[in-house]
Amino acid sequence: WRRHPHAWAIRFAMSATASSTRFETRTGSATIMAPNESSTVIDAPSRAGLPSDSIAQSVSATAPTAARLGNLLLSLLYDVIRLRHPRLVDVVMDDANLFARGRDTTLVLQITGMRLQLLGIAEQVATATARMTAASDHTTHPVPGSVHAFIVDHARRSDGVSSLHQALKTLPTVMPVMTAHPTESKRVTVLQIHRRIHARLSALEQLRQSGHERRKMIAGLRTDIDLLWLTGELRRQRPTVDQESDWNLFFFENVIFDQLPEFYENIERDVAGVVPELVDAVPNFLSFGTWIGGDRDGNPNVTCATTRRTVMKHRTAALACHRRQLVAARDVLSIAGRAVSIDDAFQQRLDTMLDHAGNGADILARNPGEVFRHYLTCLIDKISATAAHVAPSDTGNAASSPNGYRDSVEFADDLALLERALIAADCGDLARWYIRPLWRQAACFGFHFASLDLRVNASAVHACLHEIASLMPSAEAMPPLNDPANNPSWRQWIEAALAGAPGALAVDQNLGADSADLLATFQLPRELNGTIDRRAFGRMIISNTSSTTDILATYLLAKWSGLFEGPAGAETSTLLVVPLFETLDDLQAAPRIMAELLRNAVVRRTAAHHGMLLEAMIGYSDSNKDAGFVGANWAIFKAQRQLAEVGRDDGIDIAFFHGRGGSIGRGGAPTGRAIAAQPPGTTGRRISMTEQGEVVSTHYGDGEACRGHLDILAASIFRHADAMGTPVAGDIEEAMDALASLSVDAYRALVGHPGFVTYFEAASPLRELSLLKLGSRPERRRTDGGLGALRAIPWMFAWSQNRQLVPGWYGLGHAMRAFVRIRGSAGTEMLHRLFNEMPLFRLMVDEAEKALLLVDPVVGAAFARLAPEENDVASVRTMIDTEFRHTEEEILRLTGESELCDRFPEYLVRMNRRFSALRDVGVKQATLIADHRAAAAAGTPPLSKSVPVMLAINSVSAGLGWTG
């Protein structure tokens, strides 16, 4: 070991292939090789109803690769712990009895958390490697579910060229949106170390290095793991909105910006491989959005000043990235003008820029005769001049520079002209290699990187609007603000004001602080869009939308903020107002609300201004919290279908914005299958979806992951938009209605039980989650308590930590059981039809089954002991246990499996490798929480009580792969 540590590490990794199956099976033994030791057999805790070794051995090639890479990382962690804490070195590999007598609990939790994090990195690299291997044979065997497979499918049709051309022309816009509530529990510094480990491991796996290079790379991995151990894992303070914005920009600047051109290049290559004449027909269909810095819903830390700073930071970062790319292109395009023919339009544009540059003679003298370098130098100077006029202060405005760009469209046009000139000069390959990537980046990211959505609660809009109106001369005609969403007089007053002349805004000096800041935020797009980027701001999203009045009130506030344009009586809003339907009642009312909205002249003109398009956002998290797993998913399905029909009846395209999270209880599911399960005809011309927390880290943490995720996302949306789809049969619709109703009844019986709130708050780490300081937002929207005020993230997070995962399955078993009891054999037959013919039901069953696999009765019982010994509280635990048993039985009966997740062997292997550690940590966490609460009852708990709780929460999050 002393003389050849790297040789041992490689031996350790190689041994994993043979032993990984036993290591990853919960019911069997685990074999792992330690340095200078013989094979050690560790008995893993068994649990009834888990698959046998033969099932685990049927996984694809990804699992052995993940095991081999994971064991390499664990061997290096072993080395680090051997140096830093030699007495605890066995914890790296010992899944049995982690918290043996005499071991330091805090250090054991830290080691375990690192183990689980490193296993996750190894699995990500293995997945990326498998995808790259499959893609290497893309010419004859495109990767299923990829954009290339979509292209090949069209090319193989009888009208291949025209079919593919039409498909490319009608591709919907795809918009991932980074949200303002990251559930990422790791610090940015830790994420950066993870990214380096990921990059080194990927290079080690994919490249053929010499022995010396491999040893050097493994030594680098070991150094990063050592640094990870020495780096503080926990946040001492809650991050600010500005820090969240920096976290967001980290992914754009370091990954997404550079990967976007390669993503498009792959698509162009795939098109060229089947229909070469369409290689230039691939449109710019990707754009990005963000909520970070613009989401005011229940977050007092988001103010007009923070929103302004966010927009300015986006602009500064985007311009810097564009300038870097231009400099790199100028350095290589050393084409002598005399060697090629120069396009007249290009020469005229160059002459114009040189005349306005002020230093045109100097530019011409630097590289005589190299006109393309001269052109790129002019572009660099214009970008620099544009950046120089971005005011860095909180209150300053951005002013157009006489030597800079008016907007990013002009910049993209200049790049397009350069590309055409190179092609005309018979330098098409150079154009596609060096300039088209810059044009793609300019078209996607502009001068804004990601469009900033503004989000505000409907109640705040009504309060602000009423306060402004109360200060106007006509205030005596204004109705009182009683139940504004359902007040006919208030709605009539709003509609009259919308149709009338603009209101006077001089009253803003007399407004209260909250209303004044909200009004100033509404005015920001008008102030900044003309001088920053017309896409700097995206949408105005109204959370808690429950009526048409909520949306009309927001349009009126936008009008009074100067966001309307056009002559009086024909005004339109430059900013789309997007309702967010979150609860079961609101989802069911959404079609009626949108139909009423489309009868308003201002809204119809606004839709026409935006290309006959409006948008609706669908909330997965809060609908699940309100109606349960089955009821929420079915309500979302029906709302989308009915909203699309409302739009078609009025000639309006209703675009959908999906507010999904990472866990199944928040809409998380495999991307392709989740999109395929949406109703036919609901993709439209644009589709958006949130990217949240650690999902952002997973999807955009490195280049291969970024390109792979975007490929799956785009391909899934293209296929869904392209498919004609068949309407849901009447009897299937009726069966889904019945199942959803039964499920909602069961779920609401649980959350409405007298002892439920007491049980949930006591038998989960809900109180302790605030110790992690996950984000800038408070855990509750309001301070009045109750589940209604609790945000969806801590709701889901707490259920995952106590390993009961109620939001991911509760009510499904009761619904299936009652359905069969009522309908008999016909009910059983219908369930099988739904499972085989209804993608949404199949997805719900599959994801609920995966959630059930993660439920651990031992951990759940440990947490249940934290709850008071009262009959009402105890009966809640009984209800959960009973429904878990019924749901497991019904799923197994439906799928024909003997054990949970027989159908998902790779998922099973991945989770089996974690279960023993997760169980020990979960049980220990319950004990630590009991000690922490006892200390809190006596005063402020010391760090010695808080830190282990936080480390335990982080370890479970790392093991499950998500927080909430």
Side-chain angles (χ1 to χ4, degrees):
W1 165 250
R2 290 288 184 186
R3 297 187 185 280
H4 303 286
H6 301 304
W8 171 79
I10 295 171
R11 168 179 174 266
F12 183 94
M14 291 175 64
S15 71
T17 303
S19 63
S20 61
T21 300
R22 282 189 292 156
F23 180 71
E24 295 168 352
T25 304
R26 289 169 81 181
T27 53
S29 300
T31 302
I32 192 164
M33 298 298 293
N36 300 323
E37 295 177 10
S38 59
S39 175
T40 304
V41 178
I42 304 167
D43 293 325
S46 62
R47 169 186 157 189
L50 289 172
S52 63
D53 291 357
S54 61
I55 297 298
Q57 290 168 349
S58 67
V59 301
S60 72
T62 304
T65 301
R68 173 169 51 80
L69 297 178
N71 284 341
L72 171 60
L73 294 182
L74 293 188
S75 73
L76 299 176
L77 176 60
Y78 184 100
D79 183 23
V80 168
I81 302 305
R82 181 171 182 161
L83 171 67
R84 303 291 177 186
H85 300 281
R87 294 183 178 179
L88 292 174
V89 71
D90 290 342
V91 175
V92 177
M93 295 174 292
D94 186 2
D95 268 346
N97 197 18
L98 283 178
F99 301 96
R101 184 184 300 276
R103 287 180 175 175
D104 184 297
T105 297
T106 300
L107 291 175
V108 170
L109 287 168
Q110 188 176 352
I111 294 170
T112 304
M114 280 189 62
R115 277 184 56 200
L116 296 170
Q117 291 168 14
L118 293 174
L119 287 176
I121 293 172
E123 288 162 356
Q124 291 171 18
V125 172
T127 300
T129 301
R131 185 174 180 82
M132 290 179 66
T133 301
S136 65
D137 191 27
H138 71 278
T139 304
T140 55
H141 299 93
V143 178
S146 65
V147 173
H148 184 216
F150 172 80
I151 292 168
V152 169
D153 286 348
H154 271 278
R156 287 174 176 168
R157 298 177 185 179
S158 57
D159 57 343
V161 175
S162 59
S163 175
L164 180 56
H165 193 205
Q166 180 63 24
L168 292 174
K169 285 197 303 183
T170 57
L171 291 181
T173 298
V174 179
M175 177 180 275
V177 180
M178 315 303 180
T179 65
H181 38 272
T183 53
E184 175 62 75
S185 60
K186 296 180 286 294
R187 296 172 56 205
V188 171
T189 301
V190 172
L191 287 173
Q192 290 171 329
I193 300 173
H194 283 187
R195 186 166 178 260
R196 289 200 300 274
I197 294 172
H198 189 292
R200 290 186 196 273
L201 195 61
S202 295
L204 191 67
E205 181 69 6
Q206 296 167 12
L207 303 180
R208 294 182 178 273
Q209 301 96 353
S210 66
H212 171 73
E213 289 171 330
R214 288 186 63 83
R215 288 192 295 272
K216 183 178 179 181
M217 200 163 289
I218 291 173
L221 279 170
R222 191 259 183 215
T223 301
D224 281 332
I225 292 173
D226 191 23
L227 183 60
L228 185 61
W229 175 260
L230 296 172
T231 299
E233 180 180 356
L234 302 173
R235 295 187 181 100
R236 294 298 182 92
Q237 296 178 329
R238 186 179 292 276
T240 65
V241 179
D242 288 306
Q243 288 170 332
E244 291 176 338
S245 176
D246 292 340
W247 171 85
N248 185 40
L249 279 174
F250 169 84
F251 295 101
F252 279 101
E253 293 178 289
N254 291 281
V255 182
I256 302 173
F257 185 83
D258 292 326
Q259 295 306 317
L260 180 102
E262 188 168 347
F263 168 71
Y264 277 115
E265 286 166 15
N266 291 340
I267 297 176
E268 290 174 343
R269 180 201 64 210
D270 295 337
V271 171
V274 292
V275 186
E277 58 266 40
L278 295 180
V279 68
D280 294 324
V282 178
N284 293 310
F285 57 82
L286 263 179
S287 62
F288 289 87
T290 181
W291 283 9
I292 303 175
D295 181 7
R296 303 169 60 94
D297 180 24
N299 189 350
N301 301 305
V302 177
T303 64
C304 180
T306 56
T307 301
R308 182 191 298 274
R309 283 197 302 272
T310 299
V311 172
M312 302 303 265
K313 282 196 294 186
H314 283 193
R315 176 176 167 90
T316 300
L319 288 169
C321 287
H322 289 312
R323 189 182 189 283
R324 166 170 56 83
Q325 295 294 84
L326 289 169
V327 170
R330 182 186 63 183
D331 289 346
V332 297
L333 284 182
S334 53
I335 303 170
R338 65 180 181 275
V340 296
S341 60
I342 304 301
D343 181 75
D344 290 341
F346 171 80
Q347 187 64 57
Q348 291 172 9
R349 178 59 177 156
L350 174 58
D351 292 341
T352 300
M353 288 194 293
L354 289 170
D355 290 341
H356 288 87
N359 62 339
D362 293 338
I363 294 174
L364 291 172
R366 285 178 204 160
N367 303 102
E370 297 180 356
V371 292
F372 296 110
R373 274 185 164 170
H374 298 160
Y375 189 90
L376 283 163
T377 299
C378 289
L379 266 57
I380 292 167
D381 289 350
K382 286 175 72 67
I383 284 287
S384 298
T386 306
H389 281 73
V390 175
S393 66
D394 290 352
T395 57
N397 193 3
S400 297
S401 164
N403 297 321
Y405 281 107
R406 292 190 303 272
D407 55 38
S408 62
V409 174
E410 184 183 3
F411 173 52
D413 288 344
D414 277 347
L415 289 169
L417 178 61
L418 174 57
E419 182 183 3
R420 291 195 299 272
L422 283 166
I423 293 173
D426 200 23
C427 298
D429 288 342
L430 291 173
R432 279 186 284 271
W433 188 260
Y434 290 111
I435 303 304
R436 183 167 296 181
L438 278 65
W439 173 70
R440 294 286 193 190
Q441 289 166 328
C444 178
F445 302 113
F447 296 162
H448 67 293
F449 250 146
S451 298
L452 180 65
D453 289 337
L454 304 176
R455 186 168 80 134
V456 63
N457 196 285
S459 60
V461 171
H462 287 295
C464 178
L465 194 63
H466 196 272
E467 189 174 350
I468 293 172
S470 68
L471 298 172
M472 290 182 173
S474 59
E476 66 277 0
M478 183 184 63
L481 190 66
N482 297 323
D483 189 17
N486 300 299
N487 186 333
S489 299
W490 177 239
R491 175 172 170 175
Q492 291 168 8
W493 187 88
I494 289 172
E495 289 179 322
L498 262 179
L505 294 178
V507 298
D508 61 341
Q509 297 299 320
N510 300 314
L511 291 175
D514 290 344
S515 294
D517 195 77
L518 179 57
L519 179 61
T521 300
F522 266 71
Q523 293 169 337
L524 265 184
R526 180 201 64 192
E527 175 189 338
L528 298 180
N529 265 348
T531 52
I532 289 188
D533 193 305
R534 66 184 184 184
R535 293 178 293 163
F537 290 92
R539 298 154 281 214
M540 177 65 71
I541 298 168
I542 309 305
S543 58
N544 199 32
T545 298
S546 60
S547 72
T548 308
T549 308
D550 295 333
I551 308 170
L552 295 175
T554 309
Y555 272 115
L556 180 55
L557 192 54
K559 178 176 181 175
W560 284 354
S561 301
L563 293 178
F564 275 31
E565 62 181 25
E571 298 168 298
T572 62
S573 174
T574 58
L575 197 67
L576 269 183
V577 175
V578 177
L580 169 52
F581 301 109
E582 300 177 90
T583 67
L584 180 61
D585 288 344
D586 295 342
L587 285 166
Q588 292 172 341
R592 173 185 56 78
I593 291 172
M594 197 62 85
E596 292 177 359
L597 189 68
L598 288 172
R599 290 198 287 269
N600 182 275
V602 170
V603 175
R604 290 195 63 83
R605 290 196 300 267
T606 296
H609 176 78
H610 290 274
M612 301 305 289
L613 181 140
L614 290 178
E615 192 165 6
M617 185 171 182
I618 305 298
Y620 288 73
S621 304
D622 283 289
S623 60
N624 182 298
K625 185 160 69 77
D626 178 50
F629 177 59
V630 179
N633 277 279
W634 182 235
I636 288 169
F637 183 95
K638 293 181 69 175
Q640 288 182 78
R641 187 184 59 194
Q642 293 165 2
L643 283 167
E645 291 171 356
V646 167
R648 281 193 290 269
D649 290 344
D650 275 283
I652 304 293
D653 187 5
I654 304 293
F656 290 102
F657 185 175
H658 297 269
R660 292 182 175 275
S663 63
I664 182 60
R666 300 185 60 227
T671 302
R673 296 195 58 213
I675 293 170
Q678 304 306 312
T682 56
T683 302
R685 286 180 287 144
R686 181 170 76 194
I687 185 169
S688 306
M689 66 291 300
T690 51
E691 300 272 25
Q692 303 184 24
E694 69 278 328
V695 174
V696 173
S697 305
T698 301
H699 291 170
Y700 302 100
D702 71 279
E704 183 60 33
C706 176
R707 295 194 307 275
H709 171 64
L710 292 177
D711 185 60
I712 294 171
L713 178 63
S716 302
I717 291 172
F718 296 166
R719 286 189 180 280
H720 191 263
D722 189 55
M724 296 298 294
T726 56
V728 178
D731 56 346
I732 285 183
E733 173 112 4
E734 186 273 335
M736 287 298 300
D737 281 339
L739 286 167
S741 177
L742 290 166
S743 176
V744 171
D745 289 345
Y747 174 80
R748 287 185 168 171
L750 174 71
V751 298
H753 191 281
F756 178 79
V757 173
T758 301
Y759 174 83
F760 175 59
E761 291 183 342
S764 77
L766 179 64
R767 308 175 201 171
E768 289 71 30
L769 293 181
S770 61
L771 295 172
L772 287 178
K773 300 175 173 55
L774 289 181
S776 65
R777 301 194 314 173
E779 279 74 22
R780 295 179 181 273
R781 285 188 172 92
R782 307 182 302 276
T783 59
D784 57 358
L787 291 179
L790 181 67
R791 291 193 181 278
I793 287 174
W795 166 258
M796 306 293 177
F797 200 164
W799 284 117
S800 67
Q801 288 288 315
N802 71 8
R803 299 292 299 283
Q804 294 179 329
L805 291 96
V806 162
W809 56 269
Y810 197 94
L812 177 61
H814 170 84
M816 294 169 66
R817 199 178 188 90
F819 190 79
V820 172
R821 185 176 63 250
I822 295 169
R823 303 193 181 194
S825 60
T828 301
E829 181 181 346
M830 176 54 74
L831 287 179
H832 281 90
R833 273 192 65 195
L834 291 172
F835 187 67
N836 293 315
E837 299 177 19
M838 182 68 177
L840 176 64
F841 184 75
R842 178 65 171 260
L843 182 68
M844 287 193 291
V845 171
D846 291 353
E847 296 309 307
E849 183 175 352
K850 293 176 185 177
L852 289 175
L853 184 72
L854 303 181
V855 174
D856 191 321
V858 175
V859 176
F863 272 94
R865 287 192 286 272
L866 299 175
E869 294 182 2
E870 301 171 3
N871 290 337
D872 281 345
V873 176
S875 63
V876 172
R877 167 69 180 177
T878 301
M879 292 172 70
I880 294 173
D881 288 345
T882 301
E883 178 63 5
F884 170 79
R885 186 173 64 256
H886 288 169
T887 306
E888 182 177 34
E889 290 171 356
E890 294 304 318
I891 286 179
L892 293 178
R893 184 177 293 114
L894 177 64
T895 63
E897 300 166 286
S898 59
E899 313 288 355
L900 283 174
C901 289
D902 277 4
R903 300 179 296 129
F904 310 109
E906 191 168 333
Y907 175 79
L908 184 65
V909 166
R910 180 163 59 87
M911 297 315 303
N912 275 342
R913 197 168 192 185
R914 294 160 164 75
F915 279 135
S916 180
L918 283 172
R919 172 172 288 179
D920 280 1
V921 171
V923 172
K924 187 66 175 180
Q925 183 186 3
T927 302
L928 294 170
I929 286 174
D931 292 344
H932 186 268
R933 290 176 181 175
T940 302
L943 280 177
S944 61
K945 298 290 185 181
S946 300
V947 168
V949 173
M950 290 186 279
L951 288 172
I953 293 173
N954 273 357
S955 292
V956 174
S957 298
L960 296 178
W962 34 263
T963 53

